[in-house]
Amino acid sequence: MLKMLLPLIALATPGIALAQANQCRLPDVIARPRIEGPTAEDPKRVLPIGYYTLAVSWTPQYCKTSRGGARDAFQCQSDNSFAFTLHGLWPDGYGEQWPQYCKAAGILPRKVIRDHLCATPSVQLIQHEWVKHGTCMPTNPTAFFALSRKLYHALRYPDMAELAQRPTLSARAFAEAFAARNRGMVADGIRLNVTRDGSLSEVWICMDRKYRYISCPPQQGGVRDRAQLRIEPPR
């Protein structure tokens, strides 16, 4: 699986995501996550995988609206200047539903969490991503998070400070700027998740079953191309 990523990664030059991960200073104490599982509102679904979504979150916006506290201290209150962080790699289905919580899972090994914490700076989110999404792939936690980081580190980003200063910015213009920084990516392969006031929260990138960039299926959702976008400036 990882061998298929080598051509993509070899084409990439050092960028924001990789530099950020290398500079991350881990906390002295890493909390233990709690066990998660399916619920009546969010049930187990074992479905064939049609494609994947790679989701990255814009930390300045997340921290602006965060309630703070110990849960977000590492991401929002430490000396680490996080920009785009990895939300996760999600298997999607062929229709409007997606596989999730496919197998029961216990607490992740401490080393897996530690190795991934600079990409996804939340212990509980790392646990959640494995239980909800990783268990639906033919893999194990170590390989799942290694693959997620490979895809995340291959991403390149537009100048977020410059985009944040624009008086007007459509969702389509942002997607085009993002796609232009990544070989093989197209604007139609990007969907944006925004807050109620139209501020950028996450970027969702569609990939086929071989982890190649594709146009997103109609069911992927996201804001409309002409929607006006706000960007919280980077720290």
Side-chain angles (χ1 to χ4, degrees):
M1 180 181 294
L2 293 178
K3 289 182 179 179
M4 291 184 288
L5 297 170
L6 293 178
L8 173 64
I9 296 164
L11 292 172
T13 57
I16 295 173
L18 184 56
Q20 173 178 286
N22 285 341
Q23 295 170 6
C24 169
R25 180 177 297 176
L26 292 173
D28 294 333
V29 178
I30 297 177
R32 179 181 173 86
R34 67 180 184 277
I35 292 180
E36 293 187 26
T39 65
E41 295 76 23
D42 202 17
K44 174 181 178 178
R45 285 198 298 262
V46 180
L47 298 171
I49 298 173
Y51 68 105
Y52 291 93
T53 296
L54 182 67
V56 292
S57 302
W58 182 234
T59 289
Q61 181 60 41
Y62 175 78
C63 292
K64 179 181 179 180
T65 57
S66 169
R67 296 180 180 178
R71 186 188 68 173
D72 298 326
F74 176 55
Q75 184 171 2
C76 300
Q77 300 172 24
S78 69
D79 293 333
N80 299 306
S81 295
F82 289 107
F84 276 106
T85 56
L86 174 62
H87 185 159
L89 175 64
W90 307 334
D92 283 290
Y94 286 96
E96 294 185 356
Q97 290 192 327
W98 56 88
Q100 61 179 24
Y101 297 113
C102 293
K103 294 177 289 187
I107 296 293
L108 285 170
R110 183 177 297 273
K111 185 180 186 305
V112 170
I113 293 173
R114 187 178 185 86
D115 289 348
H116 197 64
L117 199 54
C118 284
T120 302
S122 167
V123 170
Q124 193 58 46
L125 180 56
I126 294 171
Q127 176 73 26
H128 172 82
E129 290 303 301
W130 166 247
V131 177
K132 185 171 184 177
H133 304 292
T135 60
C136 295
M137 297 168 60
T139 187
N140 58 58
T142 299
F144 171 69
F145 287 113
L147 172 61
S148 300
R149 289 196 304 276
K150 288 283 188 181
L151 296 170
Y152 164 65
H153 288 324
L155 292 175
R156 295 296 170 264
Y157 304 100
D159 186 337
M160 295 299 288
E162 187 275 325
L163 291 175
Q165 293 176 354
R166 292 190 187 182
T168 60
L169 178 67
S170 69
R172 180 69 182 191
F174 178 88
E176 289 174 346
F178 198 104
R181 295 286 289 125
N182 294 274
R183 182 175 296 185
M185 190 182 295
V186 295
D188 287 339
I190 295 171
R191 292 292 183 265
L192 305 182
N193 187 15
V194 302
T195 63
R196 290 183 179 181
D197 69 352
S199 297
L200 177 68
S201 175
E202 292 195 332
V203 178
W204 297 344
I205 301 154
C206 296
M207 313 183 87
D208 67 16
R209 290 190 294 173
K210 293 185 177 180
Y211 309 105
R212 297 172 299 198
Y213 301 131
I214 58 171
S215 294
C216 294
Q219 70 267 21
Q220 184 71 12
V223 298
R224 295 183 178 181
D225 284 350
R226 64 176 180 271
Q228 288 302 299
L229 191 66
R230 300 178 182 179
I231 296 178
E232 181 67 18
R235 296 164 57 185

